[in-house]
Amino acid sequence: MVDTLARNVLLDVEQALTLFEELTQNGNDGTPRGILSAVVHKLCEEELGHVLEIVRFLRRYYQAKTEHTEHRVQTLLVGIEELLRYLDALVPCIPKTGCTLLVYSLVDEVFSSGADFLDLEESLQRVVNLKHSLEYVVRDVASAIAQPMSDDDRHNLAALFEQISSELLKRLVDEAYADCSEGLLHVCDFVEHLPCIDHQIIACQVLYRRMNMDTGRLRVGVTVLAHRIRKVMRYTDFARAKHVGEMRKLKLKLPEGVYAITWGYVNIAGAQFMAPKPKSERIGELKCKPAGWIETCSKAAKHEFQTDDRGTSFAIKNTHTGLFLTDVDGAFCYVETTPPDRWTVEVIKRGEDVWYKITNRRTGNSLVPAGEVRVGIDDQCDGFNLVDFNERSLVVVQKFELQRKKAACNMQ
């Protein structure tokens, strides 16, 4: 009968609840602890990830509306203790840590909704002790998320979050990024594997909030986060997510230049607009079109920022010619090249103004116009502004073909 119960825990929770009640009332098949211990060992020895189904079963049993509150509470605590006893016997590894977090999530949920414990002082103390003894696992999982891990470990750990509350997810993502700012890419990789789109949206919100509190994190991380937001919003079932509105608002909160780079096209401008010169020239052995400056913002000045490393760096492509921007001994020019030069984009926030520094990864040279110029941001003009700053000059990169909506006319 225990084998049947274990199978039902995996396949049909309602039948498992009914059978468990029959077994415990019968008394011939052992105590609740003995039955639950047998189920835990059978399922976890098959696959450790079955902790997910066991936790779901225990939660459903605890939430069942019966008159025997004390019995439900005692059974829940026994099940949790048997799970922890099994997990404690395992060698340290990512799957063990993830499953322990899942148990902690159940304990935390029970503790937070502890009305059933008001008259059960001993049980309440057991829950408090369990919660305190498991607090360490939150830090362990947060640390693991911000570090490199195998694809299998990342996938299996993220799958467990199907049964983890949004509040605990927020805490984990916040601690992971707060303790390891250079681990943003790893955190985003983990977020991508979360089985629930709403959890991915919540994680992106947490990352942006933490990032917006620290200009250093915003400077080097916001393009990576924007790339993750874009991928989430391109899921086919994104429109059915509960928090779809919050994600769209988050997209609009991004710095305007980051929005432009991620979702559209940009112009690179100082006093004039940068574009390839009409005729090709030779710089050393290289045939190229030198970067020139034109008075008006025409299609020749249209650029696309392409990334293949999740928003960490970009190839800058002139869409009119199909040529890529490169740096040859400090001279900027456009070439046909594979692979193209990569450029990093740093976001520099000063008060209400946002500036951008665009740097060639290979040479370390920042993108600057000819001569020393200073260009301010005109908040009244249509489009988005992207500015590169260094001690000698500023470069404004403006959003191409993006018009802000004008107020509609009201007929009197």
Side-chain angles (χ1 to χ4, degrees):
M1 292 298 287
V2 171
D3 288 348
T4 303
L5 175 61
R7 185 171 64 253
N8 286 340
V9 167
L10 293 180
L11 302 177
D12 191 328
V13 174
E14 296 304 321
Q15 285 192 19
L17 293 172
T18 302
L19 181 57
F20 181 72
E21 282 293 322
E22 293 176 0
L23 293 176
T24 54
Q25 290 174 6
N26 185 2
N28 296 329
D29 295 285
T31 63
R33 183 179 293 277
I35 295 170
L36 290 173
S37 177
V39 170
V40 167
H41 279 77
K42 178 174 179 56
L43 293 182
C44 291
E45 286 170 5
E46 289 178 2
E47 183 180 329
L48 190 57
H50 286 329
V51 169
L52 183 69
E53 285 81 10
I54 298 171
V55 166
R56 183 186 293 123
F57 167 77
L58 291 174
R59 178 184 287 109
R60 182 68 186 84
Y61 185 85
Y62 171 69
Q63 293 172 344
K65 300 299 182 182
T66 67
E67 297 178 359
H68 308 292
T69 300
E70 184 174 0
H71 179 68
R72 287 190 295 111
V73 170
Q74 293 298 329
T75 300
L76 172 70
L77 294 177
V78 165
I80 290 172
E81 289 168 353
E82 290 305 313
L83 270 174
L84 290 175
R85 184 174 287 111
Y86 182 88
L87 292 171
D88 287 344
L90 302 178
V91 297
C93 59
I94 294 293
K96 172 185 175 178
T97 303
C99 290
T100 306
L101 177 73
L102 195 58
V103 178
Y104 170 84
S105 177
L106 178 59
V107 173
D108 185 53
E109 178 185 331
V110 171
F111 179 76
S112 300
S113 59
D116 290 338
F117 294 90
L118 294 179
D119 299 323
L120 303 172
E121 184 176 344
E122 181 181 346
S123 297
L124 176 60
Q125 190 58 50
R126 285 170 69 186
V127 172
V128 171
N129 292 342
L130 281 170
K131 188 173 187 300
H132 286 324
S133 69
L134 293 172
E135 284 289 343
Y136 75 91
V137 77
V138 177
R139 177 57 61 90
D140 286 353
V141 172
S143 177
I145 289 172
Q147 304 297 328
M149 69 174 79
S150 70
D151 288 341
D152 285 344
D153 280 346
R154 186 182 298 111
H155 173 78
N156 293 333
L157 178 59
L160 299 176
F161 277 67
E162 178 188 335
Q163 291 292 313
I164 287 177
S165 69
S166 297
E167 291 305 313
L168 182 54
L169 172 66
K170 291 177 183 178
R171 180 182 169 189
L172 284 162
V173 174
D174 186 75
E175 290 193 16
Y177 188 42
D179 292 344
C180 187
S181 61
E182 62 272 17
L184 177 61
L185 270 176
H186 302 308
V187 176
C188 286
D189 286 342
F190 174 77
V191 170
E192 183 175 8
H193 285 76
L194 290 172
C196 174
I197 291 181
D198 283 303
H199 275 178
Q200 294 196 29
I201 293 172
I202 289 169
C204 289
Q205 289 176 308
V206 172
L207 288 172
Y208 181 73
R209 180 185 58 80
R210 170 64 65 174
M211 194 177 288
N212 212 34
M213 295 165 57
D214 183 341
T215 56
R217 294 175 192 268
L218 185 76
R219 178 171 184 147
V220 298
V222 69
T223 56
V224 174
L225 178 60
H227 182 73
R228 174 98 302 272
I229 292 172
R230 182 172 182 260
K231 290 196 71 173
V232 173
M233 296 184 74
R234 295 180 72 179
Y235 291 154
T236 55
D237 51 351
F238 169 73
R240 296 193 295 272
K242 178 181 177 181
H243 298 298
V244 62
E246 285 87 339
M247 191 61 144
R248 287 172 175 153
K249 290 178 183 177
L250 178 59
K251 173 184 175 181
L252 297 177
K253 288 180 181 178
L254 294 171
E256 293 177 341
V258 174
Y259 181 104
I261 286 174
T262 308
W263 279 276
Y265 302 96
V266 298
N267 290 315
I268 302 172
Q272 298 174 311
F273 297 93
M274 190 167 79
K277 290 183 177 180
K279 294 183 179 180
S280 297
E281 299 180 11
R282 283 195 174 275
I283 300 179
E285 298 296 323
L286 182 66
K287 184 179 180 181
C288 63
K289 288 189 175 182
W293 299 92
I294 58 178
E295 293 288 343
T296 58
C297 180
S298 68
K299 62 182 180 180
K302 184 177 178 181
H303 294 81
E304 179 183 7
F305 281 59
Q306 301 176 347
T307 181
D308 58 7
D309 56 7
R310 297 163 291 174
T312 303
S313 64
F314 302 86
I316 302 177
K317 180 181 180 180
N318 179 267
T319 59
H320 181 59
T321 62
L323 302 178
F324 289 91
L325 185 65
T326 191
D327 174 17
V328 181
D329 298 328
F332 299 113
C333 57
Y334 293 86
V335 296
E336 294 180 4
T337 179
T338 304
D341 262 358
R342 315 301 299 182
W343 303 76
T344 59
V345 178
E346 298 175 57
V347 181
I348 305 167
K349 196 170 184 180
R350 295 190 180 89
E352 295 300 318
D353 291 334
V354 181
W355 313 80
Y356 297 77
K357 184 176 182 181
I358 306 173
T359 305
N360 186 288
R361 245 186 177 181
R362 176 175 53 83
T363 66
N365 292 329
S366 295
L367 186 61
V368 296
E372 297 182 3
V373 297
R374 295 186 63 84
V375 181
I377 296 179
D378 181 3
D379 292 331
Q380 302 303 314
C381 68
D382 286 331
F384 289 123
N385 298 310
L386 183 60
V387 181
D388 170 42
F389 173 83
N390 64 19
E391 293 181 357
R392 300 181 64 245
S393 57
L394 300 173
V395 176
V396 177
V397 184
Q398 293 184 314
K399 180 73 173 61
F400 191 87
E401 291 181 348
L402 180 62
Q403 300 295 323
R404 291 176 179 161
K405 291 183 179 180
K406 303 299 190 295
C409 295
N410 294 319
M411 300 298 293
Q412 299 295 329

